[in-house]
Amino acid sequence: MMAVSSGSSRDGSKVAMDNGKYVRYTPEQVEALERLYHECPKPTSLRRQQLIRECPILSHIEPKQIKVWFQNRRCREKQRKESSRLQAVNRKLTAMNKLLMEENDRLQKQVSQLVYENGFFRQQTQNATLATTDTSCDSVVTSGQRHLTPQNPPRDASPAGLLSIAEETLAEFLSKATGTAVEWVQMPGMKPGPDSIGIVAISHGCPGVAARACGLVGLEPARVAEILKDRLSWFRDCRTVDVLNVMSTGNGGTIELLYMQLYAPTTLAPGRDFWLLRYTSLMEDGSLVVCERSLNNTQNGPAMPPVQHFVRADMLPSGYLIRPCEGGGSIIHIVDHMILEPWSVPEVLRPLYESSMLLAQRTTMAALRHLRQISQEVSQPCVTGWGRRPAALRALSQRLCKGFNEAVNGFADDGWSMLESDGIDDVTLLVNSSPSKMMGANLGYSNGFPSMPSSVLCAKASMLLQNVPPAILLRFLREHRSEWADSSIDAYSAAAIKAGPCSLPGARGSFGGQVILPLAHTIENEEFMEVIKLENMGYYRDDMTMPGDVFLLQLCSGVDEHAVGTSAELVFAPIDASFSDDAPILPSGFRIVPLDSGTDAASPNRTLDLASSLEVGTTANKAAGANSGHSGSTKSVMTIAFQFAFEVHLQDNIATMARQYVRSIVASVQRVSLALSPSRFGSQSAFHLPPGTPEAQTLARWICNSYRFYLGVELLKCEGSEPILKSLWHHSDAVLCCSLKALPVFTFANQAGLDMLETTLVALQDITLEKIFDDNGKKILCSEFPQIMQQV
């Protein structure tokens, strides 16, 4: 075997021979070889001989020499790629090291400031102690005046005044981004490092809510600024941004006056709006700064009056500091600081507007993730699922989220109007008679009928959840759609997006969801989009019952149980099999937003098939997790919104159906929440599971709790510290766990049960009751099931 020479020149003009000498290739020969290399880096012997025949210029070279040249060329290519990769890693580590050193310097300054303030307050405390015996009137008046906060006079909003405000905003923003103007504490659950999203911190003890993030992105500063200023492309909660005025400054900067609206995350609160000044400036060191602040108290200039259905919020100096990084890319500092006026919402919802952690998750980190996603797409261009590029999938996800937010908020200027209540205010109904604006599609006509139904109805509700982590609940809703969804409603929704008139839902069929096409994952899998196929469905169309498959485009986020304070969303829309980028969509779904910042220590594997556990009783279902001692009480608010396209003459019937459907979903969610909530058995619970309980261990506990609940006796005897799963697995009696749904299947069996069925644990899920009993046996089982339970 011939060894590759390490002495080959970089241009490939030399090749080693057996006698240790080199043969020099001419430029023309090298060009011919390079051309073939780009076509086929590893040609076969026949291809090399063909090359010699086709290129007379290579006719005097031995095939062995050609083989060695290609070996050297592949070696050089591999070394070049590895060198480029190592250089990129080195640049990233160097930039991260610089960022960490700056953060360390800032923390040292903060420590020094805290030490100084501690000494100052200690001295003030001693002085106050000495002054307690002074009861003179002067002393009382002076101490009372200390607590008066003077009102700031209106600011001048003339061009010269706006420039002064802009420079002041720039200074305050930089003091937050790189200084000690705000006391920053590390975001819980965030671990900085070269593979993390960045350094994320939240405020402590400052007015309002604030978050700060530092990170590296492989984009130039100008491109980063362009992306971040286009909020509608990445900020899901942003409804609109209008640039009302633009003026240039003498130092080459730009001042913009903006009006921005944000959606409310739930049906129980109004949206927020901002009247802003945005200042873009280039620093002397080459850094680019984009900073913003509210203009709520100005005179002698433009103003924005209050807008109906919105609460005017206050943005304190915030923005982006973007510095060029050696070797390409940028180091970015992001600061968001707002006062969101929590007084305007019910007290139970105020944590939504007082949580810096939630601001960091939904705004600050969202900006950094969007930048990293685009940077990754630029460096590694590709076409993802469904033949769509990442930019097209991002636009699709934006449409889904925007449609869902519009449904949740139901603004009148989008065409929504509220229907009368049926006397129970748990579900709100709205009608939109301008679906072309709602769905982003132009309506056409076919055979005299509109190609889309003429109106859209939205049924929405909000509910308070306790003691159930949002990520676990949402993951269950995604993985077990049959536990809450109605197949006929899905069939109707799918039929409604097709051409031609549709009648009321009435189709029935076996219901099963299957992920047939995962489309995209964002950075760190924080969000993913997929196509779901609901098989064996039927729907009414043109007064005919037609079988067919229903496809759902689904967007899921916030399913990481270890992320602290993260909201979770599941948004989906029925689509046609030939779905196009501009096709109309009607998003529906769920949003769960935590109302406290308690750390969820629940098991990451508790979302398994709850079909059997949901039917054994509410109390028993509470035994889904025995680690309540370290998970704590959690509260969250769930918002549910479902949209239905319909013909005008069917409005009353569709309204009745939508109310009943959403109420059934609320009841199902409450049932599932009880099953997923921590155990409340108290002293009756004889078993204590360690943290990080696996799925099988949790299922074993449910089986034991169900047995105890129905029979009043223990299935297992507590002997020492032997795990429940092990005891159940080796139990002498056959223990079978079956899901009694439309198509019952076995979900668990211990060793004795597997021996009885003559199967394995892997093949168990393929066994249904139909394969064990005949028709008469199945009828007897269903009718005698309670008696069977009593005789176990």
Side-chain angles (χ1 to χ4, degrees):
M1 181 176 179
M2 184 176 294
V4 178
S5 171
S6 61
S8 300
S9 63
R10 292 185 178 180
D11 60 1
S13 60
K14 296 180 181 180
V15 62
M17 300 300 294
D18 291 339
N19 57 7
K21 298 181 180 179
Y22 290 98
V23 174
R24 182 176 295 276
Y25 291 95
T26 66
E28 293 79 7
Q29 291 172 332
V30 173
E31 182 180 356
L33 291 170
E34 287 285 349
R35 188 165 53 249
L36 177 60
Y37 178 82
H38 289 294
E39 296 175 0
C40 180
K42 195 173 183 179
T44 62
S45 176
L46 293 177
R47 186 68 182 94
R48 292 195 297 269
Q49 293 176 5
Q50 181 183 359
L51 174 65
I52 294 175
R53 290 194 301 267
E54 293 175 351
C55 299
I57 197 173
L58 301 176
S59 60
H60 300 293
I61 302 178
E62 294 290 334
K64 186 183 297 184
Q65 299 175 17
I66 300 292
K67 179 180 180 180
V68 173
W69 185 93
F70 273 95
Q71 289 176 343
N72 288 339
R73 183 64 177 82
R74 290 194 299 270
C75 183
R76 290 196 305 273
E77 181 69 16
K78 183 178 180 180
Q79 291 175 347
R80 184 189 64 80
K81 291 182 178 180
E82 181 66 13
S83 177
S84 299
R85 187 189 68 83
L86 292 177
Q87 289 177 5
V89 172
N90 183 63
R91 287 194 300 268
K92 184 176 181 180
L93 293 175
T94 301
M96 180 61 71
N97 182 60
K98 180 179 180 182
L99 199 60
L100 292 174
M101 290 178 64
E102 292 176 353
E103 181 69 7
N104 185 57
D105 291 340
R106 189 193 65 79
L107 291 174
Q108 289 182 352
K109 293 178 182 178
Q110 183 173 328
V111 169
S112 300
Q113 182 176 343
L114 291 174
V115 170
Y116 171 78
E117 291 177 353
N118 182 53
F120 174 78
F121 289 135
R122 183 176 299 174
Q123 183 64 35
Q124 290 292 102
T125 302
Q126 295 175 352
N127 294 339
T129 303
L130 295 175
T132 51
T133 56
D134 186 358
T135 57
S136 65
C137 294
D138 292 341
S139 175
V140 173
V141 172
T142 302
S143 63
Q145 288 178 346
R146 281 189 198 133
H147 300 283
L148 296 178
T149 304
Q151 296 293 327
N152 294 325
R155 302 290 298 271
D156 181 19
S158 64
L162 290 178
L163 179 59
S164 175
I165 296 175
E167 294 293 344
E168 180 182 314
T169 302
L170 174 62
E172 292 187 33
F173 160 69
L174 292 177
S175 67
K176 297 176 183 179
T178 61
T180 58
V182 173
E183 182 181 349
W184 301 109
V185 296
Q186 181 175 317
M187 176 87 166
M190 296 297 298
K191 296 180 179 180
D195 296 326
S196 69
I197 190 174
I199 303 173
V200 183
I202 56 177
S203 62
H204 174 70
C206 73
V209 292
R212 171 180 171 269
C214 313
L216 310 174
V217 293
L219 301 170
E220 296 303 314
R223 176 64 175 146
V224 173
E226 177 187 357
I227 293 172
L228 292 176
K229 291 171 74 170
D230 183 15
R231 268 197 178 93
L232 290 173
S233 68
W234 61 267
F235 189 19
R236 299 281 175 79
D237 294 341
C238 185
R239 183 183 184 227
T240 182
V241 176
D242 296 325
V243 181
L244 303 182
N245 196 3
V246 181
M247 58 178 289
S248 301
T249 62
N251 57 3
T254 303
I255 294 177
E256 301 167 277
L257 300 184
L258 312 175
Y259 175 67
M260 180 174 69
Q261 293 179 346
L262 301 184
Y263 292 110
T266 174
T267 62
L268 304 176
R272 297 302 191 259
D273 65 350
F274 298 83
W275 172 232
L276 300 172
L277 176 145
R278 181 163 69 191
Y279 181 37
T280 305
S281 177
L282 185 64
M283 308 289 286
E284 294 181 356
D285 61 354
S287 301
L288 193 59
V289 177
V290 181
C291 54
E292 299 172 326
R293 79 174 307 159
S294 289
L295 292 174
N296 290 346
N297 189 26
T298 59
Q299 62 183 10
N300 303 326
M304 177 59 64
V307 179
Q308 189 178 11
H309 305 304
F310 285 90
V311 173
R312 182 63 48 84
D314 190 14
M315 180 180 289
L316 304 181
S318 307
Y320 318 105
L321 170 62
I322 312 163
R323 297 184 296 172
C325 187
E326 295 182 7
S330 305
I331 300 176
I332 180 171
H333 297 253
I334 303 176
V335 173
D336 291 300
H337 193 177
M338 304 177 184
I339 298 178
L340 297 174
E341 309 299 344
W343 56 267
S344 62
V345 300
E347 185 175 356
V348 68
L349 295 180
R350 290 180 185 175
L352 295 180
Y353 300 90
E354 297 172 339
S355 171
S356 294
M357 190 179 302
L358 194 60
L359 176 70
Q361 290 281 1
R362 298 187 68 88
T363 308
T364 314
M365 295 173 63
L368 202 52
R369 286 195 184 99
H370 184 73
L371 290 171
R372 287 166 57 90
Q373 187 71 26
I374 293 180
S375 175
Q376 185 182 67
E377 294 167 6
V378 170
S379 61
Q380 301 175 3
C382 64
V383 176
T384 58
W386 225 345
R388 284 163 168 80
R389 295 193 176 276
L393 293 179
R394 284 202 312 274
L396 198 56
S397 66
Q398 285 290 113
R399 289 182 59 196
L400 277 172
C401 292
K402 183 177 179 60
F404 182 70
N405 277 323
E406 291 288 357
V408 170
N409 287 261
F411 294 118
D413 56 353
D414 285 324
W416 292 101
S417 59
M418 186 177 298
L419 296 182
E420 293 184 3
S421 171
D422 63 347
I424 306 176
D425 295 331
D426 56 337
V427 178
T428 302
L429 297 186
L430 298 97
V431 170
N432 192 326
S433 300
S434 56
S436 59
K437 177 180 178 182
M438 172 66 193
M439 297 180 289
N442 295 321
L443 298 181
Y445 290 83
S446 175
N447 299 326
F449 291 102
S451 61
M452 285 290 297
S454 57
S455 298
V456 175
L457 183 141
C458 174
K460 58 184 182 179
S462 292
M463 57 187 296
L464 184 66
L465 303 175
Q466 294 192 12
N467 300 327
V468 54
I472 293 181
L473 176 57
L474 192 91
R475 203 167 71 191
F476 178 87
L477 296 175
R478 171 182 172 264
E479 297 174 357
H480 303 274
R481 187 179 179 88
S482 59
E483 296 293 342
W484 56 267
D486 188 326
S487 59
S488 63
I489 302 297
D490 282 319
Y492 168 79
S493 299
I497 68 170
K498 301 177 184 290
C502 305
S503 65
L504 284 173
R508 292 288 176 181
S510 64
F511 187 92
Q514 177 184 7
V515 179
I516 63 170
L517 186 61
L519 293 182
H521 289 258
T522 60
I523 292 293
E524 299 175 351
N525 292 331
E526 292 291 338
E527 176 183 285
F528 55 90
M529 185 160 41
E530 58 196 2
V531 176
I532 306 296
K533 180 181 179 182
L534 307 179
E535 299 177 344
N536 299 325
M537 305 291 289
Y539 56 83
Y540 286 129
R541 179 175 163 191
D542 294 333
D543 297 327
M544 296 178 60
T545 302
M546 302 178 60
D549 292 328
V550 175
F551 296 91
L552 295 179
L553 179 65
Q554 185 163 272
L555 184 70
C556 188
S557 62
V559 294
D560 181 8
E561 300 170 38
H562 302 290
V564 181
T566 306
S567 59
E569 294 186 13
L570 180 67
V571 181
F572 46 86
I575 58 175
D576 190 79
S578 58
F579 182 72
S580 59
D581 290 340
D582 59 349
I585 56 177
L586 276 180
S588 303
F590 307 88
R591 172 181 293 148
I592 313 174
V593 185
L595 292 176
D596 53 30
S597 58
T599 302
D600 173 31
S603 166
N605 297 313
R606 280 171 47 194
T607 310
L608 47 101
D609 191 349
L610 297 182
S612 19
S613 72
L614 291 175
E615 299 178 22
V616 299
T618 301
T619 308
N621 295 335
K622 286 185 177 182
N627 51 353
S628 58
H630 57 270
S631 63
S633 176
T634 59
K635 292 183 180 180
S636 56
V637 58
M638 169 181 273
T639 298
I640 305 172
F642 278 72
Q643 299 188 76
F644 308 91
F646 67 97
E647 299 292 342
V648 175
H649 67 280
L650 295 175
Q651 176 172 313
D652 292 341
N653 294 331
I654 294 296
T656 301
M657 176 272 295
R659 277 197 180 97
Q660 294 176 350
Y661 186 43
V662 171
R663 284 169 180 164
S664 69
I665 292 175
V666 169
S668 298
V669 169
Q670 291 174 337
R671 194 163 52 98
V672 172
S673 299
L674 288 174
L676 294 174
S677 63
S679 173
R680 292 294 180 267
F681 277 90
S683 60
Q684 295 182 3
S685 180
F687 308 102
H688 301 277
L689 302 183
T693 304
E695 178 176 327
Q697 186 83 344
T698 303
L699 180 59
R701 183 174 185 82
W702 284 345
I703 293 174
C704 295
N705 287 334
S706 174
Y707 193 92
R708 182 192 313 113
F709 176 80
Y710 277 105
L711 303 180
V713 296
E714 297 290 347
L715 175 63
L716 303 176
K717 295 182 180 180
C718 183
E719 298 178 359
S721 58
E722 186 176 9
I724 302 176
L725 178 60
K726 184 177 179 180
S727 300
L728 186 64
W729 181 256
H730 295 291
H731 199 283
S732 57
D733 295 332
V735 178
L736 304 176
C737 185
C738 181
S739 172
L740 291 180
K741 300 186 293 187
L743 187 63
V745 295
F746 287 101
T747 58
F748 176 81
N750 66 350
Q751 186 63 62
L754 295 176
D755 294 340
M756 182 184 71
L757 296 177
E758 298 181 351
T759 186
T760 64
L761 194 60
V762 175
L764 180 67
Q765 296 182 353
D766 297 329
I767 298 179
T768 64
L769 289 181
E770 296 179 352
K771 298 180 180 179
I772 299 179
F773 301 100
D774 55 16
D775 292 339
N776 186 47
K778 286 184 287 186
K779 292 179 181 179
I780 295 176
L781 176 65
C782 293
S783 61
E784 301 294 332
F785 188 75
Q787 286 78 8
I788 293 175
M789 289 296 299
Q790 294 294 334
Q791 296 172 8
V792 174

